[in-house]
Amino acid sequence: MTTHPTDPGSAPDRAGPGGSEGTTGSTDQGGRGSGWSADWSALTREIVFDRIWSRPGLTTRERRLVTVALLLASGAEPAARFHIGAGLDEGIDADDFYELIAHTAVYAGWATGGRGIGWLRSVVADREVDR
């Protein structure tokens, strides 16, 4: 299995872009459900990153922008914040994310846009503190 350069499963403190959302998190203590988190991370790598993100037709930048718009529209904050940060790392300008959020707000609801601006502002601020 190959690892995509944007694979969030490689981050030591996360099972994926949703953090513990959608996984059993640290509650797997060996009983029922033991191994679900590891399996979910493997499925994420194999299906999302190895199969979908590596397909021809869209650039990584295009995929990142579409992904952020969809995550914003669905209210998936941890995953959206992850993908905003990954996009910034890949050279997508914060102003491009702002325009994406403004455009998404027209179709997904104005409050959705306001929430997205907050997420973007927070991700950018966190990165400025880390410098």
Side-chain angles (χ1 to χ4, degrees):
M1 167 178 46
T2 61
T3 301
H4 191 278
T6 59
D7 179 1
S10 62
D13 61 336
R14 299 178 75 130
S20 63
E21 186 175 304
T23 69
T24 58
S26 61
T27 61
D28 286 347
Q29 301 295 324
R32 181 176 178 201
S34 178
W36 288 350
S37 293
D39 186 60
W40 189 254
S41 291
L43 287 171
T44 299
R45 278 190 304 278
E46 292 167 13
I47 295 168
V48 177
F49 294 100
D50 290 349
R51 292 185 189 174
I52 301 301
W53 278 77
S54 62
R55 291 174 55 88
L58 294 175
T59 65
T60 299
R61 182 184 196 285
E62 292 166 336
R63 288 181 195 282
R64 187 73 64 198
L65 292 170
V66 168
T67 300
V68 169
L70 293 168
L71 292 169
L72 173 61
S74 66
E77 180 179 359
R81 290 172 53 87
F82 170 84
H83 283 281
I84 290 169
L88 293 170
D89 289 345
E90 295 163 357
I92 299 175
D93 192 81
D95 289 336
D96 292 337
F97 280 117
Y98 174 81
E99 289 301 323
L100 173 84
I101 292 166
H103 186 80
T104 302
V106 173
Y107 297 94
W110 205 249
T112 297
R115 184 173 56 239
I117 296 302
W119 298 347
L120 174 61
R121 187 180 302 126
S122 175
V123 171
V124 169
D126 289 348
R127 290 171 174 282
E128 290 173 355
V129 168
D130 290 341
R131 286 185 194 171

